Amino acid sequence: MSVRTGGMRRPGSAVAAGVFAIGMAGTTLPTPLYGLYRRQLGFSELMVTVVFAVYALGVIAVLLLAGDVSDEVGRRPVLFGALGVSAASALCFLFEGGLPMLLLGRVLSGFTAGLFSGTATAAVLELARPGRQARAGFAATAANMGGLGCGPLLAGLLAQYTPWPLALPFLLHLCLLALAATATGVLPETVADPHLPRILRPRGLRPPPPVRGLFAPCAVAAFAGFALLGLFTAVAPSFVAQTLDVHNLAVSGAVVCTVFLGSTLGQSLTGRLGVRAALPGGCLVLVLGLFLVAASLATASLPVLVAGAVCGGTGQGMAFRAGLTAVGTAAPPEHRGGTISAFFLVAYLGLSLPVVGVGALTEAWGLRPAGLAFAACAIVLALAVAGYVLRHPPTTTPAT
């Protein structure tokens, strides 16, 4: 059972959010580097999306097998484990000697994200001071998306303007992970009576009865939004280089970063709009962003692509924070980590499955037609979710 301890009066929530951001930044560091790996190793655009999807499958595997483990063993041990796995992933990329090590590094990145997603979010919420749950919810989702956005921006700058493009990003991240481990050591534990589970088997990823009616629309909205994030993270650098003929890695990293910055902006708006308005509103803004992305593909326009990234990211952020806040608040404390992990499980399915389809279509049709087909499917899904939640507005009842 999760409890609020007297230690929460320390700045624990902010520290936990910082650890969360550092961990998530490492999972997107390779994004602007895929072009360099392609030239070095000679693999196809489909393999780029497979490498990316392997990361998402790693996330899903951890969420299925250990998504609720922090509800029993405690938040801090799982955070330490996630930081250790992240360091192992960075070492795989640092000493990369071929496609197998690249795939292993991405799988470990996925394990990292899976361990962080539910655990760090729950820790940030539980370490918040009384009456600051909404602010803590924003801190958690902003740390998640902000970290994901900082990864490609940092790697792109270092790869473009330093002499060690495939080494320095991961060396720097290892230093940040050491800092995060030190910070984790001062966090108070929020789980009462942490203990090793008697049976190591997946439990708790089925949302408990009080949350099930709310969970479905929130999770499907997250699926649609994460599909957009997957497109930008896996395919946008190739589009910028091949179609727009822009080969500056810092620009590629910045373009990917804009969608995550838009997500953070959308999350900040959710607190003002409330869950009932932000969930359908976010889906509709996401649709507008997808239209702009489709227009950028059709016209080969970088400014329109950036506008689509900001707009689509804003819609994704609104819907994502609204859904996460609603689900996390309604879940009973003893099931909160597992319920949040189930929410992220659906979201990461959206991150992985559509982008592999884009990669396969790219091999058959080319990058631009594949991107247009993706945008059309995502628009239909987001509109369907928006229509459903407008007819059935989400309601939340805080769990005690």
Side-chain angles (χ1 to χ4, degrees), residues 12-100:
S13 185
V15 172
V19 171
F20 196 3
I22 289 173
M24 297 308 293
T27 67
T28 52
L29 274 178
T31 298
L33 308 179
Y34 287 141
L36 299 179
Y37 288 123
R38 282 188 66 189
R39 289 195 291 273
Q40 180 174 297
L41 302 176
F43 51 76
S44 66
E45 188 64 42
L46 175 59
M47 185 55 66
V48 171
T49 60
V50 170
V51 169
F52 177 81
V54 163
Y55 153 78
L57 293 177
V59 180
I60 292 166
V62 169
L63 292 176
L64 283 172
L65 296 175
D68 67 334
V69 71
S70 73
D71 289 333
E72 296 189 63
V73 305
R75 311 301 183 205
R76 290 206 312 168
V78 177
L79 290 177
F80 277 123
L83 292 170
V85 175
S86 182
S89 172
L91 290 173
C92 286
F93 283 100
L94 193 57
F95 298 107
E96 175 272 320
L99 187 58

Side-chain angles (χ1 to χ4, degrees), residues 51 54-55 58-59 85 89 102-112:
V51 169
V54 163
Y55 153 78
V59 180
V85 175
S89 172
L102 201 64
L103 289 168
L104 177 59
R106 290 305 287 157
V107 170
L108 291 174
S109 290
F111 291 167
T112 300

Side-chain angles (χ1 to χ4, degrees), residues 17-376:
V19 171
F20 196 3
I22 289 173
M24 297 308 293
T27 67
T28 52
L29 274 178
T31 298
L33 308 179
Y34 287 141
L36 299 179
Y37 288 123
R38 282 188 66 189
R39 289 195 291 273
Q40 180 174 297
L41 302 176
F43 51 76
S44 66
E45 188 64 42
L46 175 59
M47 185 55 66
V48 171
T49 60
V50 170
V51 169
F52 177 81
V54 163
Y55 153 78
L57 293 177
V59 180
I60 292 166
V62 169
L63 292 176
L64 283 172
L65 296 175
D68 67 334
V69 71
S70 73
D71 289 333
E72 296 189 63
V73 305
R75 311 301 183 205
R76 290 206 312 168
V78 177
L79 290 177
F80 277 123
L83 292 170
V85 175
S86 182
S89 172
L91 290 173
C92 286
F93 283 100
L94 193 57
F95 298 107
E96 175 272 320
L99 187 58
M101 286 294 285
L102 201 64
L103 289 168
L104 177 59
R106 290 305 287 157
V107 170
L108 291 174
S109 290
F111 291 167
T112 300
L115 290 170
F116 266 117
S117 295
T119 302
T121 300
V124 172
L125 291 171
E126 291 164 350
L127 288 166
R129 296 180 181 180
R132 296 190 177 183
Q133 280 294 103
R135 185 176 299 179
F138 171 64
T141 51
N144 190 351
M145 294 301 158
L148 290 170
C150 287
L153 180 62
L154 178 62
L157 288 169
L158 293 175
Q160 185 65 38
Y161 300 114
T162 70
W164 308 288
L166 296 180
L168 195 56
F170 302 102
L171 285 171
L172 178 58
H173 191 243
L174 284 170
C175 295
L176 292 174
L177 288 172
L179 178 64
T182 302
T184 301
V186 305
L187 290 175
E189 180 57 68
T190 59
V191 173
D193 187 29
H195 60 277
L196 291 175
R198 293 180 179 178
I199 302 177
L200 292 175
R201 61 184 175 87
R203 292 192 306 140
L205 288 192
R206 179 181 299 174
V211 190
R212 289 175 188 170
L214 177 69
F215 184 87
C218 292
V220 175
F223 181 99
F226 268 62
L228 175 69
L229 299 185
L231 178 73
F232 270 87
T233 309
V235 178
S238 296
F239 177 73
V240 169
Q242 297 173 22
T243 305
L244 304 182
D245 200 28
V246 177
H247 300 281
N248 187 303
L249 296 178
V251 172
S252 295
V255 168
V256 176
C257 181
T258 55
V259 73
F260 293 106
L261 290 179
S263 177
T264 305
L265 172 63
Q267 292 163 29
S268 70
L269 296 174
T270 301
R272 299 180 180 182
L273 296 174
V275 170
R276 290 171 64 91
L279 189 57
C283 290
L284 294 174
V285 175
L286 175 62
V287 167
L288 177 58
L290 288 164
F291 272 116
L292 289 172
V293 170
S296 74
L297 292 169
T299 62
S301 170
L302 180 60
V304 177
L305 179 65
V306 172
V310 174
C311 185
T314 300
Q316 183 274 337
M318 290 170 63
F320 177 69
R321 184 188 172 191
L324 181 59
T325 300
V327 169
T329 301
E334 65 273 17
H335 295 291
R336 185 168 291 132
T339 302
I340 292 173
S341 292
F343 179 83
F344 277 104
L345 171 63
V346 178
Y348 276 98
L349 284 172
L351 193 74
S352 59
L353 297 181
V355 78
V356 174
V358 171
L361 290 177
T362 297
E363 293 294 304
W365 298 350
L367 185 57
R368 189 178 298 178
L372 289 171
F374 163 86

